[in-house]
Amino acid sequence: NAGVTQTPKFRVLKTGQSMTLLCAQDMNHEYMYWYRQDPGMGLRLIHYSVGEGTTAKGEVPDGYNVSRLKKQNFLLGLESAAPSQTSVYFCASSGSLAYGEQFFGPGTRLTVL
Amino acid sequence: AQSVTQPDIHITVSEGASLELRCNYSYGATPYLFWYVQSPGQGLQLLLKYFSGDTLVQGIKGFEAEFKRSQSSFNLRKPSVHWSDAAEYFCAVGAITSGTYKYIFGTGTRLKVLA
């Protein structure tokens, strides 16, 4: 099993450009999450999904959109990238919501110039 | 509001020494508590978790943590640190309150191990 995979691993954008980050999991998990990690701030939840076709806002949702068209995939979109979105993005999945272990992908390092 | 505090940003210990990483949480009820480890350039990996029952929980890689309700703490410990334990450690709290889901990470403690 690959676990949780993320595409791409690195990306550089110019301000105003758009992009989509792809997360895939092969553990048949219902719940999936997108986080951003910034120095000194830990991980902050951007959006999450409790099942196929559902999404919900997390702590820092502004500037991001998500979609969960298939159970195994969770997409994070930036419609108009800003330098403040320079970060490392992690996707995770779990079999339970609040009390489940979250399985993390390797991360995507995004730089917005 | 729920919160997780890891008061130590950096900790340095010698190999073979004992380790304790602190975590304090703020939550109205007993939350679900977790410790994760992140090696450089990697995602997070679960070390251990506490839901209920025995307040001393054992995890992988020789780590343990103790839940102390009176102190709102969930400190991570290891009796003898190995050089491979150098990493960043995150405490996390999971809760569902009034139908709202929260999974909050602390800001992390970076562990350095001296040979």
Side-chain angles (χ1 to χ4, degrees):
Chain A
N1 288 347
V4 179
T5 58
Q6 293 181 232
T7 309
K9 289 184 169 50
F10 302 93
R11 186 72 185 268
V12 178
L13 291 179
K14 295 181 180 179
T15 297
Q17 287 184 319
S18 64
M19 76 163 295
T20 300
L21 281 66
L22 172 63
C23 176
Q25 53 99 359
D26 62 3
M27 296 173 282
N28 201 35
H29 285 163
E30 286 292 334
Y31 307 96
M32 297 187 74
Y33 316 84
W34 275 106
Y35 293 91
R36 59 177 290 171
Q37 183 178 33
D38 303 290
M41 304 191 73
L43 279 80
R44 292 180 291 169
L45 183 64
I46 304 172
H47 287 279
Y48 65 100
S49 168
V50 299
E52 182 178 317
T54 73
T55 63
K57 294 180 180 180
E59 182 184 357
V60 288
D62 295 341
Y64 305 95
N65 57 76
V66 288
S67 64
R68 182 109 180 260
L69 298 179
K70 294 182 178 180
K71 185 176 183 178
Q72 63 268 32
N73 294 339
F74 195 29
L75 278 63
L76 177 71
L78 287 73
E79 290 186 347
S80 180
S84 61
Q85 294 178 304
T86 294
S87 187
V88 180
Y89 292 86
F90 287 98
C91 176
S93 71
S94 69
S96 301
L97 197 53
Y99 54 85
E101 173 184 356
Q102 295 195 8
F103 293 83
F104 284 80
T108 295
R109 183 173 295 276
L110 175 66
T111 301
V112 182
L113 302 176
Chain B
Q2 294 86 1
S3 65
V4 178
T5 302
Q6 293 180 247
D8 304 305
I9 298 174
H10 298 279
I11 283 186
T12 300
V13 299
S14 298
E15 191 170 20
S18 63
L19 172 70
E20 182 170 31
L21 302 183
R22 295 183 290 165
C23 173
N24 293 95
Y25 67 91
S26 172
Y27 185 62
T30 300
Y32 304 111
L33 298 163
F34 308 83
W35 274 100
Y36 287 84
V37 61
Q38 183 181 32
S39 298
Q42 304 292 318
L44 279 69
Q45 180 186 20
L46 182 72
L47 285 174
L48 47 79
K49 57 189 177 185
Y50 173 79
F51 298 155
S52 64
D54 193 345
T55 57
L56 184 64
V57 294
Q58 303 297 321
I60 63 171
K61 304 185 181 187
F63 285 93
E64 66 178 27
E66 185 172 13
F67 170 63
K68 293 185 176 180
R69 184 190 305 275
S70 61
Q71 299 177 18
S72 296
S73 68
F74 188 55
N75 294 349
L76 182 71
R77 301 195 295 248
K78 187 169 185 178
S80 178
V81 170
H82 188 262
W83 65 266
S84 60
D85 293 325
E88 191 156 20
Y89 292 81
F90 292 93
C91 182
V93 168
I96 298 176
T97 306
S98 301
T100 300
Y101 162 73
K102 288 187 182 295
Y103 202 101
I104 302 170
F105 284 86
T107 52
T109 297
R110 187 171 297 277
L111 174 65
K112 182 177 179 180
V113 180
L114 301 177

